Amino acid sequence: MIDHEILDTGLGDGDDDDFDAAFEGYDAQLPEGRYLDRELSWLAFNQRVLELAEDDSLPVLERANFLAIFASNLDEFFMVRVAGLKRRIVTGLAVPSNIGRAPGEVLADISAEAYRLQLRHAEAWQGLVRPALAEKGIHIVTWESLPDDDKSRLNDYFQLQIFPVLMPLAVDPAHPFPYISGLSLNLSVRIRNAKTGRQEFARLKVPPMLPRFVPVSNGDGDLRFITLEDLISNHLDELFPGMEILDHHTFRLTRNEDVVVEEDETENLIQALEAELLRRRFGPPIRLEITDDMDDVTLDLLLRELDITDQEVYRLPGPLDLRGLFDLSRVDRPDLRYPPHLPTTAVAFQPGDSNERSDIFKAIGKADVLVHHPYESFATSVQAFIEQAAADPNVLAIKQTLYRTSGDSPIVNALIDAAEAGKQVVALVEIKARFDEQANITWARKLEQAGVHVVYGLIGLKTHCKTCLVVRREGSTIRRYCHIGTGNYNPKTARLYEDVGLLTAAPDIGADLTDLFNSLTGYSRKVSYRNLLVAPHSVRKGIIERIEREAEATRGGADGRIRLKMNALVDEQVIDALYRASQAGVRVEVVVRGICALRPGAPGFSENIVVRSILGRFLEHSRIIHFSAINEFWIGSADMMHRNLDRRVEVMAQVKEPRLTAQLDDVFESAMDPATRCWELGADGHWTALPAEGQSVRDHQASMMEKHRHP
């Protein structure tokens, strides 16, 4: 099972091309052609992932992992973005892209680019990473290359472990063409009946629950693996005794697996979502991957039976489905991975000389704390905050949003403990979190059974904000402790994701979160807050207002600078505001991980804008915005995308304490350092790797790790 939150492509909802809504407030004074195509920008992001796999300076097992990430990312791109575009074309609801191109043209462009990248991906495996693994003693071998004694041992393994699981399905007048599940790896087998001479077709599914790379006996300390489909292919005679095996090929189908739930006030959301999840399994085909040696007879059969077009066929060198390279993470070769990283405990939460566990409430009560994951520990900060709240008899209530969490979540367990201890506990569980819907339904029911008040948010909106409010009795008063972050309450991804979070007892933020939770759980419809910007009402408006204030200050002689760090920058209104700020002389620096529709460095409207992308061992996930002249820092859950600003509940909070804003400033200074390894976006939409060869280079994430190694 792929953890989609670990990969987190930021693709967005399949139907978030709200072109008309996006152009409300369109600035006609800015030139046409000022946006980059968002779909091609996403593919460019996945190309940067691929370039990490091609980088021979990285540990080779990490390079294999990046190949697997690329493959999984591209699967989701087809299941969501391509599927959504095709659905809108078929239904006649498609509108021009964000650059004004017809939907059919966009589909052709992204199909061609995706195919080019898949070919490059296959070459990176065969020509770069596989040989590099072999040099380090990890060999991916073929059946034909094995000596007889290895084949004998694998024969035994096949009989005991694989053969009982396999289920060949015939296709003939008595057996209709079988259903092909999305993303499954399959063997097409053509056979001849020895008695009748009739040719037949069978489909064999490669069992997804078995290891994709089967160990072969070790030799001279080296490790050898054979792919599962290669092993099965060389035992087809045992599956079809008495038949002549004529040909066999590997193929893989991608289906539309987007989920669309029509919500209304009378519908049970969980039941509606569960029904839609069942329909997801039977979504229409949108991509057929085949090996480059597949014969025309087999291909024609697949095209006819799957009702798929030639444009949707991707003929590739084998092996297909390189997500299987995730399996190599089990190889015990730490020398071929990044050095281990042990997060430190934030200074404010470090225990005293007694080595007792730090009092989180006491520390936050003294001063606000900013934590930076994974450099600083999630377990000893945010998780400890919620666990201490659950165990503290003075805590009266805990209110929390949960968008995604891990399967064995200590956060969920803490909320259950708190409810069983008699505290008021509210958990807003977003059961529509893409590809985690079923897991979140399971956790929601477990929480309800323990007495937690579970709420599913507002109709028509996903609740994506990362907030927790703890209400505590202290003497004769009530005090509120808060956490507002950029990342999910997921201890597993907190070790892989770069995120920041604010822990505070500030009364105005406590009052704001109280109002927010009242809106989420009750009938309050508050839209303005003291120290928060909350989507869908005020994030876009608030950010644009501050961009305009920064531009006005620059016109008045201030040294204006806007810095943004986020996963995606797509919203046209925000982009146009940044263009106007650039025209006013404001320096704009953007650090974006994924999609960027802004065109930087173009004369006349964006020459003062620089866009960088940083990818590496950790997934850059934090959202931080800095307005220099007006001296404001903001953090939160919202990317500058239509879905975040219009169809989600998002929270952005201002960080005011100078010692905390200095930490955020360090993040920008490191990211924008001329020697930082990154990619920089040009006005033509091309990303260039920096620094140039021969120049000094520094790693942003390694520098952040060093900075957070507290004495």
Side-chain angles (χ1 to χ4, degrees):
M1 177 69 71
I2 300 299
D3 189 331
H4 290 275
E5 180 62 14
I6 287 179
L7 305 175
D8 194 19
T9 60
L11 283 167
D13 303 315
D15 60 350
D16 72 348
D17 294 291
D18 299 344
F19 197 70
D20 294 334
F23 276 76
E24 188 177 319
Y26 178 86
D27 191 334
Q29 296 183 359
L30 289 168
E32 294 184 6
R34 62 187 181 274
Y35 308 122
L36 299 173
D37 183 87
R38 61 154 294 160
E39 314 298 355
L40 293 176
S41 181
W42 185 90
L43 289 171
F45 150 68
N46 213 28
Q47 177 174 313
R48 298 195 293 279
V49 175
L50 180 55
E51 288 175 12
L52 290 174
E54 295 168 338
D55 186 347
D56 60 10
S57 71
L58 300 183
V60 68
L61 283 178
E62 304 294 348
R63 296 171 66 190
N65 197 58
F66 282 122
L67 286 176
I69 291 172
F70 172 95
S72 188
N73 283 354
L74 197 63
D75 286 346
E76 188 172 338
F77 178 75
F78 273 91
M79 290 188 295
V80 178
R81 297 302 308 174
V82 176
L85 180 57
K86 288 186 175 182
R87 183 180 68 244
R88 293 191 298 279
I89 291 174
V90 169
T91 58
L93 298 177
V95 297
S97 72
N98 66 321
I99 61 171
R101 286 173 60 77
E105 293 177 317
V106 173
L107 184 58
D109 287 346
I110 61 180
S111 296
E113 180 64 8
Y115 184 42
R116 183 189 71 82
L117 287 175
Q118 284 197 264
L119 289 173
R120 179 172 169 179
H121 179 239
E123 174 56 31
W125 164 244
Q126 293 286 14
L128 298 175
V129 177
R130 184 176 176 178
L133 285 168
E135 289 179 4
K136 299 297 184 180
I138 300 174
H139 304 270
I140 311 301
V141 299
T142 62
W143 177 264
E144 291 77 11
S145 69
L146 293 175
D148 289 342
D149 56 341
D150 284 335
K151 288 181 178 179
S152 176
R153 281 187 290 268
L154 286 173
N155 285 335
D156 293 341
Y157 176 82
F158 178 84
Q159 293 294 335
L160 293 173
Q161 302 291 334
I162 301 175
F163 183 80
V165 181
L166 297 177
M167 190 178 298
L169 297 175
V171 177
D172 57 33
H175 301 88
F177 193 86
Y179 174 77
I180 308 297
S181 53
L183 303 186
S184 62
L185 193 63
N186 303 273
L187 291 174
S188 65
V189 186
R190 283 200 301 116
I191 56 179
R192 180 184 289 119
N193 189 311
K195 292 183 178 179
T196 66
R198 179 187 176 94
Q199 289 193 23
E200 308 284 2
F201 176 87
R203 173 258 189 159
L204 187 62
K205 183 176 180 178
V206 178
M209 73 291 298
L210 298 180
R212 179 68 185 285
F213 290 95
V214 178
V216 185
S217 63
N218 295 348
D220 300 324
D222 284 3
L223 299 175
R224 291 181 296 154
F225 298 89
I226 184 173
T227 64
L228 181 57
E229 64 269 27
D230 190 7
L231 182 55
I232 294 172
S233 296
N234 283 279
H235 289 80
L236 292 176
D237 55 336
E238 299 184 40
L239 290 159
F240 302 98
M243 297 288 184
E244 179 187 358
I245 308 299
L246 298 177
D247 214 345
H248 65 271
H249 304 283
T250 313
F251 71 96
R252 183 171 180 263
L253 191 69
T254 308
R255 293 184 176 274
N256 179 345
E257 297 204 16
D258 199 15
V259 169
V260 179
V261 178
E262 299 296 334
E263 301 176 58
D264 59 51
E265 281 86 351
T266 63
E267 188 173 41
N268 183 311
L269 184 56
I270 284 187
Q271 290 179 0
L273 185 57
E274 287 181 321
E276 186 64 25
L277 290 176
L278 288 175
R279 285 194 291 273
R280 169 192 276 175
R281 295 177 53 205
F282 301 97
I286 56 172
R287 177 182 58 163
L288 175 64
E289 296 169 277
I290 63 173
T291 50
D292 53 11
D293 60 351
M294 180 176 284
D295 62 284
D296 290 339
V297 173
T298 302
L299 178 57
D300 289 344
L301 174 68
L302 293 176
L303 292 177
R304 183 173 63 253
E305 295 291 347
L306 296 172
D307 190 24
I308 204 164
T309 67
D310 287 332
Q311 186 190 34
E312 296 164 317
V313 175
Y314 291 76
R315 191 181 287 270
L316 302 164
L320 302 181
D321 193 9
L322 288 179
R323 295 179 308 163
L325 292 172
F326 282 128
D327 282 0
L328 293 183
S329 63
R330 293 194 290 267
V331 173
D332 186 18
R333 289 290 302 273
D335 57 310
L336 303 182
R337 294 191 178 86
Y338 289 123
H341 167 63
L342 182 64
T344 61
T345 295
V347 172
F349 300 139
Q350 290 182 1
D353 295 337
S354 63
N355 286 325
E356 295 180 358
R357 188 169 184 174
S358 174
D359 187 330
I360 302 292
F361 295 127
K362 183 177 180 180
I364 300 173
K366 287 181 180 179
D368 291 355
V369 179
L370 187 79
V371 287
H372 195 180
H373 315 302
Y375 312 114
E376 293 176 309
S377 170
F378 180 88
T380 59
S381 57
V382 179
Q383 180 180 320
F385 168 61
I386 298 168
E387 290 176 336
Q388 185 174 327
D392 189 337
N394 293 317
V395 168
L396 306 177
I398 303 173
K399 304 179 183 184
Q400 175 137 21
T401 59
L402 290 173
Y403 188 72
R404 301 182 198 265
T405 189
S406 60
D408 52 351
S409 172
I411 302 294
V412 170
N413 292 335
L415 296 178
I416 290 172
D417 291 344
E420 292 176 343
K423 305 182 194 309
Q424 284 280 95
V425 182
V426 172
L428 196 143
V429 179
E430 183 46 77
I431 58 172
K432 301 188 294 294
R434 186 184 307 281
F435 298 116
D436 274 349
E437 299 95 341
Q438 191 59 59
N440 284 6
I441 288 172
T442 301
W443 280 113
R445 287 180 168 150
K446 183 175 181 179
L447 287 164
E448 284 179 323
Q449 291 167 2
V452 174
H453 300 291
V454 177
V455 182
Y456 302 113
L458 304 176
I459 291 173
L461 299 174
K462 285 186 180 181
T463 303
H464 187 249
C465 54
K466 327 296 183 184
T467 57
C468 181
L469 172 66
V470 173
V471 181
R472 190 171 189 260
R473 181 191 295 112
E474 297 183 356
S476 59
T477 64
I478 296 293
R479 195 171 190 187
R480 290 174 284 204
Y481 294 85
C482 312
H483 173 261
I484 298 175
T486 67
N488 297 308
Y489 294 103
N490 187 328
K492 288 172 61 178
T493 59
R495 296 193 292 268
L496 301 170
Y497 274 34
E498 179 273 337
D499 275 302
V500 295
L502 176 68
L503 289 147
T504 178
D508 57 344
I509 294 183
D512 276 345
L513 284 190
T514 299
D515 290 340
L516 175 65
F517 277 102
N518 287 343
S519 293
L520 295 175
T521 63
Y523 288 112
S524 169
R525 289 298 176 262
K526 189 174 180 64
V527 297
S528 61
Y529 296 82
R530 303 159 188 81
N531 195 59
L532 302 180
L533 298 175
V534 179
H537 301 292
S538 62
V539 172
R540 179 190 284 113
K541 178 182 177 182
I543 296 302
I544 291 177
E545 283 179 354
R546 284 160 178 81
I547 293 172
E548 292 172 345
R549 284 167 51 198
E550 190 77 13
E552 188 60 33
T554 303
R555 293 188 192 96
D559 182 16
R561 182 166 66 160
I562 299 172
R563 297 184 290 182
L564 307 94
K565 183 179 183 299
M566 57 193 58
N567 297 286
L569 176 56
V570 175
D571 188 77
E572 288 85 357
Q573 293 182 54
V574 173
I575 291 172
D576 281 357
L578 293 172
Y579 286 152
R580 292 192 296 270
S582 172
Q583 290 175 322
V586 178
R587 290 176 293 146
V588 179
E589 298 169 351
V590 180
V591 182
V592 63
R593 175 171 58 90
I595 308 168
C596 182
L598 181 148
R599 188 185 297 275
F605 65 94
S606 65
E607 58 263 70
N608 290 321
I609 303 179
V610 175
V611 177
R612 283 187 164 191
S613 181
I614 295 174
L615 304 178
R617 117 178 241 173
F618 304 124
L619 187 145
E620 295 288 327
H621 193 250
S622 64
R623 293 94 168 182
I624 310 169
I625 306 178
H626 176 215
F627 304 96
S628 178
I630 64 174
N631 193 28
E632 289 187 12
F633 277 90
W634 291 79
I635 68 168
S637 59
D639 289 309
M640 297 298 107
M641 303 178 71
H642 312 147
R643 63 167 186 178
N644 300 85
L645 305 181
D646 295 322
R647 298 194 304 283
R648 289 187 173 190
V649 178
E650 306 275 11
V651 169
M652 303 290 292
Q654 187 177 356
V655 179
K656 298 179 179 179
E657 184 65 39
R659 59 187 178 79
L660 304 187
T661 60
Q663 296 178 43
L664 297 175
D665 189 70
D666 284 344
V667 174
F668 283 115
E669 290 298 316
S670 175
M672 298 307 299
D673 187 302
T676 292
R677 177 180 295 177
C678 66
W679 287 262
E680 195 161 287
L681 180 60
D684 60 355
H686 177 73
W687 292 88
T688 301
L690 295 177
E693 190 173 348
Q695 295 181 340
S696 61
V697 60
R698 63 185 294 275
D699 186 281
H700 167 73
Q701 295 179 348
S703 298
M704 288 290 103
M705 280 191 280
E706 187 61 35
K707 183 177 286 292
H708 286 86
R709 286 194 179 97
H710 308 300

